[in-house]
């Protein structure tokens, strides 16, 4: 066989497959196949160029695959396919030899160690120097009749047991021709002998006749160095000798605490096979640590004081070795000695006894009055701390709640939405806790003023009940409301605080009731003087010993602590305070035995004879906001295009709050910021702004003072002002409104609500201005415009097109701009200036106003009116009409007809 270049290649290995074909491996010319039946020779690389050309070894497997050892890994070729597809393994590794064991597993001698692989190409085992091989490169291998693998290298011969993974190495001192063997130079004869070729000849042997030596090695210490100096019988450590004998006879050494770094040297009494000898050592019976071949010393540094036992043994070809031991005693420093520790403990105990006696003497000198005053002062300090903290928390709480509301509105992915709702729910819990602390503080200071009015508590309790239905459903609790046929029950209460009484009681009942339990809200009239509201649950109940203290501030029952139920211990204290301020009383009935449960009863007086004239105040009850924490934030229905013409100035001394407001409002407005009132006033006097947002508490000039100065300035008093504050005190709110602020918002403020307030204030100012100059009276322009100014000519063209295409549902902003003769951007800008409306809103409002005229003039069906004003879908027409006029088209017509009938009747 010759190569394609006509050169006779050098055969490196050849093998015959089960079809009698001869496969020849060459170095540099690839793989050849010779079929002597057809006298045909083929170059496999000419058919599949991907096969490596530098082939070291060939192995024909029984399943018809050919395994090639190459200079770039292992290749597997399917010789039954005439295209000879190949797969490559162990890239960038030289494979010198390939053998298969009785289980048809492949064994590979490579430059990266000894590998065991399955026929599927999975690497099962790898043997390198870390596993005990004498060299990383394996030259050749053979497998004996017992399945033992024999592998040669450039540093000796290894015996590998595949079952246990144990490796025994043999060297020239054991009878080999030398330590270096040739690549791929091995064979097994018919008698089972193994032959290996090396640089100094051939080594052959019968595997079952090779035995490891069984004579034990005798290990002993050879020396010790301390601080770089060799230790002898005259060496001192501290003020004592290290040892009194030579090191090979020493069994114990004693060192000072400063001499905790030293080295030990050891060896064997037998001096043969030093190149194969390895030592293992252990300190204080820890796992044995093996040292590299030829290393017979170990060093220690920074050992702590104490007693150590050093052990060392020799390892060579499974021979047993004696263990040499050395006891090492490192003396402690003086303060680590036993007598120093005893002294320290005695002094500490004496000091502790003196402290305890002093404390006991101090407490014995106090009477019950002083103890009560201290407890009251402690509660007052706790409350005052929390109140002060609430004002600091409100600003960062706004920075949490506002982005979370936006995320809830924008992201509907269920998993993330649950996370957002969890954040919102817990933030609202913090907000409620702060409000409760403020109410408690007001009550403690005597400034909690209630303003009573006659309210239908059935409706109020029904609203609270409806707010908690979703929470009860999520916990699978049967929550019911009973009022014994009472549709109305008039009680004189403060609507703003009465809700909090019921909310706290229901919230606690749902919190402590397990899934599948029951909670009942019940109201009844006891007699002519009293009404009673009960909140009943079948939870675990409250122990009788704890019922006396359950209304104390910061006290929590044991079942709440054991069940890891969150709470602050102030809800029931606030509830009792509010009930008493309502001239009522609260009672608890509870049982911890089956059937367990608790009943909180609130008893309130009927009528208003118990109230003073100052307490009576006819006000409407506030809406319940109890369950806001489980409802997703409302979304803003519509926003104008970003970067409007409006310029807003924001003043706040909190950098993070300032950055947040600027980031959130910048897409809608041109935003300038400053850090105090003086800087804000300076900017307002020199630049033109549309609106001002200011924090109340600022250095130099606060928000209230800034608002007063703006209202006193004839050039700036038209600007809308929004004040933001963390102070919820009523006097503070009145002070801010009296200063002339248009809005006074308490933190945390929803950014969407703030944005809506900003838009409303700006629109209100613009509508007042446009009404004053007569720019929003487009009703007169529905048919034609009489004035011929350029702007009115434009409006005339716009109205002509709209009136002509009024019934066309396909009338768009682009069509209107094209018919008028302006670009869409230019037309939108002009209409915004003239009517304060976008083109789309202007077209919609013209359609709806024309629809209102049609509805008020005759009995045209609503669906026909929708078609006449360009609405193809009556449902869309109804929604748009109701959004503009507040009633649906049918009701609007009814109101018009009713007014007309009333007018006719009057005439």
């Amino acid at each position: 066989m010759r190569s394609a270049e006509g050169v006779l290649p050098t055969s490196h290995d050849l093998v015959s497959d089960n079809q009698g074909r001869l496969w020849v491996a060459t170095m540099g010319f690839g793989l050849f196949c010779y079929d002597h039946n057809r006298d045909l020779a083929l170059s496999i690389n000419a058919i599949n160029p991907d096969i490596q050309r530098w082939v070291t070894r060939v192995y024909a497997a029984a399943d018809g695959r050919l395994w090639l050892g190459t200079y770039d890994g292992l290749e597997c070729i399917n010789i039954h396919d005439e295209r000879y597809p190949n797969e490559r393994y162990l890239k960038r590794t030289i494979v010198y030899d390939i053998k298969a064991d009785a289980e048809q597993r492949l064994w590979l001698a490579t430059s990266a160690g000894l590998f065991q692989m399955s026929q599927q190409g999975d690497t099962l085992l790898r043997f390198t120097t870390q596993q005990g091989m004498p060299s990383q490169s394996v030259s050749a291998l053979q497998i004996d009749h017992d399945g033992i693998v024999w592998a040669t290298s450039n540093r000796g011969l290894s015996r590998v047991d595949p079952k246990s993974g144990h490796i025994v190495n043999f060297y020239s001192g054991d009878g080999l021709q030398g330590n270096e063997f040739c690549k791929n130079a091995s064979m097994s004869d018919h008698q089972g002998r193994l032959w290996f070729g090396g640089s100094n000849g051939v080594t052959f042997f019968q595997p079952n006749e090779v035995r490891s030596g069984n004579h034990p090695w005798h290990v002993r210490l050879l020396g010790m160095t301390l601080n770089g100096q060799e230790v002898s019988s005259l060496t001192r450590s501290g003020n004592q000798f290290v040892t009194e004998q030579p090191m090979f006879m020493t069994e114990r050494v004693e060192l000072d605490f400063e001499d905790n770094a030293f080295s030990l040297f050891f060896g064997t009494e037998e001096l043969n096979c030093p190149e194969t000898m390895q030592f293992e050592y252990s300190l204080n019976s820890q796992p044995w640590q093996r040292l590299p071949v030829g290393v017979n010393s170990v060093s220690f540094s920074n050992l702590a004081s104490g007693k150590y036992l050093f052990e060392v043994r020799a390892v060579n070809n499974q021979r047993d070795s004696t263990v040499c031991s050395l006891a090492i005693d490192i003396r402690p420093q003086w303060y680590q000695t036993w007598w120093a520790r005893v002294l320290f403990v005695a002094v500490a105990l004496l000091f502790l006894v003196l402290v305890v006696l002093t404390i006991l003497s101090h407490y014995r000198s106090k009477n019950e009055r002083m103890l009560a005053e201290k407890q009251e002062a402690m509660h007052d300090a706790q409350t005052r701390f929390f109140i002060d903290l609430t004002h600091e928390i409100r600003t960062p709480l706004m920075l949490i709640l506002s982005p979370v509301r936006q995320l809830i509105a924008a992201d509907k992915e269920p998993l993330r939405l649950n996370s957002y709702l969890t954040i919102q729910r817990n933030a609202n819990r913090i907000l409620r806790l702060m409000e409760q602390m403020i109410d408690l503080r007001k009550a403690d200071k005597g400034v909690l003023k209630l303003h009573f009015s006659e309210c239908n508590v059935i409706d109020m309790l029904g609203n609270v009940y409806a707010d908690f239905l979703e929470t009860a459903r999520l916990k699978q609790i049967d929550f019911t409301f009973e009022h014994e046929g009472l549709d109305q029950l008039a009680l004189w209460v403060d609507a703003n605080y009465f809700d909090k009484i019921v909310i706290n009681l229901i919230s606690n009942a749902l919190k402590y009731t397990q899934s599948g339990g029951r909670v009942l809200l019940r109201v009844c009239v006891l007699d002519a003087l009293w009404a009673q509201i009960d909140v009943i649950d079948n939870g675990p109940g409250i122990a009788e010993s704890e019922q006396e203290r359950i209304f104390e501030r910061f006290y929590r029952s044991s079942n709440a602590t054991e069940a890891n139920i969150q709470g602050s211990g102030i809800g029931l204290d606030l509830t009792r305070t509010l009930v008493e301020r309502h001239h009522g009383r609260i009672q608890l009935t509870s049982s911890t035995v089956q059937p367990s449960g608790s009943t909180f009863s609130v008893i309130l007086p009927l009528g208003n004879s118990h109230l003073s004239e100052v307490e009576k105040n006819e006000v409407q009850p506030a809406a319940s906001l109890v369950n806001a924490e489980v409802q997703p934030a409302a979304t803003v229905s519509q926003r104008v295009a970003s970067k409007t013409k409006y310029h807003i100035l924001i003043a706040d001394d909190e950098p993070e709050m300032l950055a947040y407001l600027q980031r959130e409002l910048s897409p809608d407005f041109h935003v300038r910021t400053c850090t105090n009132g003086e800087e804000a006033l300076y900017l307002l006097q020199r630049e033109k702004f549309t609106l001002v947002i200011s924090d109340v508490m600022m250095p130099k000039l606060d928000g209230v003072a800034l608002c007063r100065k703006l209202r006193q300035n004839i050039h700036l008093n038209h600007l809308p002002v929004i004040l933001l504050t963390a102070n919820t005190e009523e006097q503070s709110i009145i002070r801010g409104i009296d200063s002339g602020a248009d809005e006074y918002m308490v933190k945390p403020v929803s950014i969407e609500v703030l944005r809506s307030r900003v838009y409303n204030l700006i629109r209100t100012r613009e509508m007042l201005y446009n009404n004053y100059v007569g720019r929003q009276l487009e009703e007169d322009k529905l048919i034609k415009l009489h004035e011929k100014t350029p702007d009115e000519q434009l409006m005339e063209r716009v109205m002509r097109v709209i009136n002509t295409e009024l019934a066309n549902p396909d009338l768009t902003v682009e069509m209107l701009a094209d018919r008028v003769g302006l670009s869409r951007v230019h037309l939108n800008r002009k209409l915004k200036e003239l009517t304060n409306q976008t083109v789309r809103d202007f077209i919609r409002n013209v359609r709806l106003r024309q629809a209102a005229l049609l509805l008020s003039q005759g009995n045209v069906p609503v669906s026909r009116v929708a078609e006449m004003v360009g609405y193809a879908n009556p449902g869309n027409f109804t929604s748009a009409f109701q959004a503009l006029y507040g009633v649906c088209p049918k009701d609007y017509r009814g109101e018009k007809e009713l007014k007309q009938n009333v007018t006719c009747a009057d005439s």
Side-chain angles (χ1 to χ4, degrees), residues 73-92:
L74 178 70
E75 290 198 14
C76 179
I77 301 175
N78 185 357
I79 59 177
H80 293 305
D81 191 333
E82 295 181 354
R83 294 172 296 178
Y84 300 104
N86 66 312
E87 297 180 16
R88 186 175 299 177
Y89 309 93
L90 304 178
K91 293 182 179 180
R92 295 182 293 278

Side-chain angles (χ1 to χ4, degrees), residues 325-394:
S325 302
L326 176 66
I328 303 172
D329 187 3
I330 301 179
R331 294 187 294 272
Q333 300 191 47
W334 69 269
Y335 54 81
Q336 295 177 325
T337 58
W338 67 269
W339 55 266
R341 292 176 180 174
V342 171
L343 179 61
F344 293 155
V345 171
V347 172
L349 289 176
L350 179 61
F351 177 77
L352 183 61
V353 169
L354 292 176
V355 170
V356 170
L357 291 177
T358 302
I359 294 175
L360 291 177
S361 175
H362 175 72
Y363 277 99
R364 280 194 301 266
S365 66
K366 291 184 178 292
N367 52 31
E368 291 297 329
R369 182 184 61 82
M370 294 297 295
L371 183 61
E373 289 180 358
K374 183 177 180 180
Q375 186 175 10
E376 183 65 25
M378 180 181 66
H379 284 170
D380 185 67
Q382 289 177 327
T383 306
R384 185 170 58 254
F385 168 75
F386 280 109
I387 296 302
D388 296 339
L389 194 61
T390 56
H391 296 293
E392 299 297 327
I393 291 177
R394 282 184 178 272

Side-chain angles (χ1 to χ4, degrees), residues 360-594:
L360 291 177
S361 175
H362 175 72
Y363 277 99
R364 280 194 301 266
S365 66
K366 291 184 178 292
N367 52 31
E368 291 297 329
R369 182 184 61 82
M370 294 297 295
L371 183 61
E373 289 180 358
K374 183 177 180 180
Q375 186 175 10
E376 183 65 25
M378 180 181 66
H379 284 170
D380 185 67
Q382 289 177 327
T383 306
R384 185 170 58 254
F385 168 75
F386 280 109
I387 296 302
D388 296 339
L389 194 61
T390 56
H391 296 293
E392 299 297 327
I393 291 177
R394 282 184 178 272
T395 295
L397 199 60
M398 175 181 174
L399 298 176
I400 295 172
L401 281 172
S402 294
V404 167
R405 291 191 185 104
Q406 293 175 333
L407 290 172
I408 292 173
D411 191 349
K412 300 303 181 183
E413 199 278 325
L415 185 60
R416 289 193 294 270
L417 187 61
N418 286 335
S419 300
Y420 301 152
L421 291 176
T422 300
I423 297 173
Q424 185 188 45
R425 184 164 53 250
N426 286 278
N428 281 324
R429 184 179 292 123
I430 296 174
L431 184 60
R432 272 203 318 280
L433 178 62
M434 293 190 299
E435 292 175 350
Q436 289 179 341
M437 293 304 303
I438 292 174
D439 292 337
L440 284 175
R441 179 66 172 174
K442 291 179 181 178
D444 292 342
K445 294 299 181 182
V447 296
L448 180 63
K449 297 180 180 180
L450 273 61
H451 303 283
F452 293 84
S453 61
E454 190 174 23
C455 302
N456 181 12
V457 296
I458 301 298
D459 291 341
M460 298 178 67
L461 293 176
N463 291 335
V464 176
Y465 168 72
D467 289 336
F468 276 102
L469 279 177
E470 179 63 15
T471 303
R473 185 188 66 81
L474 292 175
K475 289 194 66 175
Q476 297 181 350
I477 294 175
D478 181 14
F479 183 34
T480 55
F481 176 34
E482 294 181 2
H483 42 90
E484 298 181 356
L486 293 174
D487 295 329
Q488 289 188 348
L489 177 60
L491 290 179
W492 282 76
V493 296
D494 186 319
N496 293 321
Y497 288 100
F498 178 74
D499 272 0
K500 296 180 180 180
I501 297 173
V502 185
I503 288 169
N504 278 333
L505 295 179
I506 296 178
S507 177
N508 280 346
L510 292 175
K511 186 187 302 182
Y512 289 94
T513 302
Q514 300 296 325
S515 178
R518 300 186 310 276
V519 173
L520 170 64
L521 172 63
R522 183 175 64 191
V523 60
C524 62
V525 176
L526 297 179
D527 50 37
L529 298 178
W530 300 95
Q532 179 171 317
I533 301 170
D534 296 324
V535 178
I536 307 170
D537 66 69
N538 62 345
I542 301 172
E544 186 175 355
S545 59
E546 296 182 308
Q547 294 180 16
E548 294 282 337
R549 302 186 59 194
I550 197 66
F551 292 102
E552 292 181 9
R553 189 174 303 176
F554 305 121
Y555 179 79
R556 302 192 65 215
S557 62
S558 58
N559 56 9
T561 306
E562 293 170 359
N564 197 23
I565 297 177
Q566 296 181 351
S568 58
I570 64 175
L572 289 178
D573 181 28
L574 176 62
T575 300
R576 180 182 61 178
T577 301
L578 293 178
V579 171
E580 292 173 352
R581 294 300 298 272
H582 277 79
H583 304 278
R585 62 184 185 273
I586 185 170
Q587 299 174 349
L588 167 64
T589 305
S590 184
S591 174
T592 57
V593 298
Q594 295 298 329

Side-chain angles (χ1 to χ4, degrees), residues 34-271:
Y34 175 69
D35 190 346
H36 65 86
N37 294 325
R38 296 186 295 172
D39 194 21
L40 177 64
L42 295 175
S43 172
I44 305 304
N45 291 77
I47 300 173
N48 185 358
D50 290 339
I51 298 176
Q52 276 289 312
R53 305 181 71 89
W54 297 83
V55 184
T56 60
R57 195 67 165 169
V58 183
Y59 171 74
D63 59 0
R65 290 188 295 176
L66 205 65
W67 295 87
L68 304 182
T70 73
Y71 268 72
D72 189 19
L74 178 70
E75 290 198 14
C76 179
I77 301 175
N78 185 357
I79 59 177
H80 293 305
D81 191 333
E82 295 181 354
R83 294 172 296 178
Y84 300 104
N86 66 312
E87 297 180 16
R88 186 175 299 177
Y89 309 93
L90 304 178
K91 293 182 179 180
R92 295 182 293 278
T93 302
I94 304 175
V95 179
Y96 298 116
D97 200 359
I98 305 174
K99 291 293 186 295
D101 58 16
E103 298 180 9
Q104 296 302 310
R105 295 174 298 188
L106 298 179
W107 290 85
L108 311 175
T110 74
S111 59
L114 177 64
F115 286 85
Q116 181 198 80
M117 291 181 60
S118 68
Q119 293 280 2
Q120 289 73 33
D122 301 326
T123 301
L124 304 179
L125 294 174
R126 182 187 180 193
F127 300 90
T128 63
T129 53
Q130 294 183 351
Q131 284 73 39
M133 297 291 289
S135 173
Q136 199 76 0
S137 177
V138 180
S139 303
L141 55 88
Q142 289 292 332
I143 302 176
D144 62 21
H145 294 301
D146 296 326
I148 303 298
V149 179
W150 298 82
T152 60
S153 67
N154 56 356
R155 293 184 180 176
L157 174 67
S158 300
R159 180 183 183 273
V160 182
D161 188 345
K163 296 180 180 179
S164 64
H166 186 72
I167 300 174
V168 179
N169 298 320
F170 300 92
Y171 302 92
S172 59
D174 296 310
L176 304 181
Q177 53 82 29
N179 285 335
E180 185 172 358
F181 288 84
C182 297
K183 304 290 191 296
N184 200 5
S186 68
M187 65 166 286
S188 174
D189 60 20
H190 63 282
Q191 297 180 0
R193 291 179 298 184
L194 303 183
W195 298 70
F196 296 97
S199 58
N200 295 323
V202 176
T203 298
F204 66 95
F205 55 89
Q206 191 66 250
N208 55 10
E209 295 178 357
V210 177
R211 296 287 185 271
S212 300
N214 53 9
H215 298 289
W217 301 97
H218 297 84
V219 182
R220 66 178 181 178
L221 288 175
L222 301 180
M224 177 179 182
T225 60
L226 187 65
N227 298 324
Q229 301 294 325
E230 187 173 354
V231 174
S232 66
S233 58
L234 301 178
T235 302
R236 286 178 176 269
S237 178
N239 56 357
Q240 298 183 17
F241 290 105
V242 176
T243 180
E244 297 179 356
Q245 296 177 325
M247 282 305 302
F248 68 90
M249 298 176 60
T250 299
E251 296 180 355
R252 180 178 179 273
V253 294
E254 189 171 351
L255 303 176
D256 195 59
F257 67 89
E258 294 180 347
D259 297 328
N260 57 357
F262 53 88
S263 299
L264 297 172
F265 298 86
F266 33 80
T268 60
E269 295 180 0
E270 297 79 13
L271 301 179

Side-chain angles (χ1 to χ4, degrees), residues 595-615:
S596 62
S598 301
T599 300
F600 286 87
S601 301
V602 176
I603 303 173
L604 298 174
L606 296 172
N608 61 357
S609 59
H610 58 284
L611 300 176
S612 65
E613 293 299 325
V614 178
E615 292 178 318

